Amino acid sequence: MNNVSLHDLAPAGSASLQEVLRGLLSPQKELPCKLLYDTIGSQLFEQICALDEYYPTRAELRIMRAAAAQMAERIGPECLLIEYGSGSSTKTPLLLDQLERPVAYMPIDISREVLQDSAAAIASRYPGLEVLPICADYTRSVQLPTTRAAAARRVAYYPGSTLGNFVPEAARRFLKTIGEVCGPGGGLLIGTDQKKDPLMLHRAYNDALGITADFNLNILRRLNRELGANFNLDRFRHYAFYNPVFARVEMHLVSLIAQVVRVADVEIPFARGESIWTEASYKYNQDEFAELVAGAGWRVEQMWTDDRSLFSVEYLVRDK
Ligand code: AVI
């Protein structure tokens, strides 16, 4: 396997007790969705992406296959490509194949093993490309390593509609952070899930094989392992629905009975039917998205969509 050295900026890689307790002691119990992505969770997410019901991955891949050459033209030669939440980097080669002499590729992800494997795969596929993987919680400010050659511009790649997992105000803040990293003249290629028939959304987050349910419940398994919690997974059920008022899919874990769960030494009481909110997945139409990014200093330069307008990929620029 090709050896790429990892820039390790992730604290200990485990769930923070303080953050978890704060969430579980709130009136609406909640857990940060980044906790869904331990090694098992990342593998389950890959399985979700292959499901018939989970349309975003295929729609985005179709867009990338059809328009990557145009995207590369927008980006221009000799860019530094920074991928946020790169995971298994499946869509990246579609872009790298078209880019003109990219200077370096920096995938950033919290899931160390997945990052290492995917960075090694990219490095062996593109032997002339400098690959600098960074293991970090990318929502915090990340100090980028220096590249061997200077880049003409910094371009961030954020596929998969992961921005939708932030509430709009946090999404705006994160877009600003990316803007600071890329600097004036920088670019951002980003995937966005469009508003659509709620039934289609419902199926996408309630698949028949129960992989999404397992992905959601795995967060409790993680708390048991990493924080000595004693959640009984048979006493919670995956519950996901589209909330049209906020245009978001909400994923919850509902307690099937009244029970008390221990996390470290703290007792957390659950009423029957009470839920832990584990993820929000916001959907945007084009105007709403343009307004969101404008609030963070970005301008939509070009937008590509699939033939059913399920998903879109936007190229955003920060004017000098
Ligand atoms: C990573 N993110 C964009 C996915 C989504 O659709 O919000 C995570 C996911 N949750 C359930 N299924 C997929």
Side-chain angles (χ1 to χ4, degrees):
M1 187 186 283
N2 203 315
N3 209 4
V4 283
S5 64
L6 185 85
H7 295 256
D8 206 334
L9 308 178
S14 56
S16 140
L17 178 61
Q18 209 188 6
E19 194 175 17
V20 165
L21 288 179
R22 199 186 318 120
L24 292 180
L25 294 168
S26 305
Q28 165 62 70
K29 293 180 168 59
E30 58 182 15
L31 287 169
C33 66
K34 66 182 175 193
L35 292 183
L36 292 163
Y37 300 91
D38 61 356
T39 302
I40 298 171
S42 298
Q43 286 161 356
L44 287 167
F45 180 62
E46 291 304 318
Q47 291 178 35
I48 290 174
C49 291
L51 290 169
D52 278 350
E53 296 102 321
Y54 196 72
Y55 62 85
T57 314
R58 277 181 314 284
E60 188 173 23
L61 281 170
R62 275 198 297 275
I63 298 170
M64 293 305 293
R65 283 192 197 105
Q70 286 173 34
M71 295 171 188
E73 208 168 301
R74 284 278 180 207
I75 291 170
E78 296 177 351
C79 76
L80 159 60
L81 188 69
I82 307 157
E83 182 167 354
Y84 286 87
S86 50
S88 57
S89 298
T90 26
K91 291 154 200 144
T92 324
L94 293 169
L95 186 61
L96 283 174
D97 283 349
Q98 301 295 334
L99 285 177
E100 203 182 327
R101 302 186 309 279
V103 158
Y105 170 58
M106 286 183 194
I108 312 178
D109 205 285
I110 190 74
S111 192
R112 195 173 279 109
E113 287 172 44
V114 179
L115 175 68
Q116 254 161 341
D117 291 351
S118 54
I122 294 281
S124 59
R125 185 167 172 165
Y126 302 93
L129 181 70
E130 189 178 15
V131 178
L132 296 162
I134 305 168
C135 183
D137 172 357
Y138 64 77
T139 58
R140 309 223 171 121
S141 145
V142 176
Q143 182 71 38
L144 300 186
T146 37
T147 53
R148 282 195 299 258
R153 76 179 48 76
R154 290 178 167 190
V155 174
Y157 183 37
Y158 197 37
S161 71
T162 310
L163 190 75
N165 295 135
F166 293 86
V167 298
E169 196 35 53
R172 197 171 294 115
R173 277 200 305 274
F174 181 50
L175 287 167
K176 270 192 182 156
T177 304
I178 300 180
E180 281 153 21
V181 170
C182 293
L188 167 59
L189 189 66
I190 185 167
T192 315
D193 198 10
Q194 295 288 313
K195 282 184 173 169
K196 58 182 59 66
D197 180 355
L199 267 182
M200 189 172 194
L201 289 168
H202 190 86
R203 283 191 208 105
Y205 293 82
N206 291 279
D207 64 277
L209 291 175
I211 311 283
T212 310
D214 208 15
F215 171 67
N216 195 6
L217 282 159
N218 181 58
I219 204 167
L220 301 184
R221 219 178 274 133
R222 178 174 187 175
L223 299 189
N224 287 349
R225 190 181 61 242
E226 293 183 5
L227 299 180
N230 67 345
F231 284 98
N232 178 339
L233 273 61
D234 294 333
R235 295 181 177 166
F236 288 86
R237 181 174 295 149
H238 164 75
Y239 179 54
F241 61 93
Y242 181 65
N243 182 335
V245 177
F246 295 99
R248 67 188 180 207
V249 174
E250 294 186 18
M251 206 163 74
H252 293 250
L253 288 166
V254 175
S255 176
L256 297 176
I257 54 168
Q259 57 181 319
V260 176
V261 176
R262 210 176 19 78
V263 179
D265 286 332
V266 180
E267 293 195 333
I268 317 279
F270 283 86
R272 182 178 174 207
E274 189 180 1
S275 79
I276 308 173
W277 188 3
T278 51
E279 185 189 70
S281 195
Y282 284 82
K283 312 300 169 189
Y284 293 97
N285 66 30
Q286 287 168 29
D287 291 345
E288 289 161 349
F289 190 71
E291 197 183 316
L292 175 77
V293 305
W298 292 98
R299 177 171 59 76
V300 179
E301 193 168 80
Q302 192 166 351
M303 195 274 285
W304 298 267
T305 188
D306 57 286
D307 53 359
R308 295 164 70 197
S309 300
L310 297 177
F311 200 91
S312 61
V313 177
E314 283 85 8
Y315 185 58
L316 314 180
V317 288
R318 266 197 77 196
D319 292 320
K320 289 188 186 162

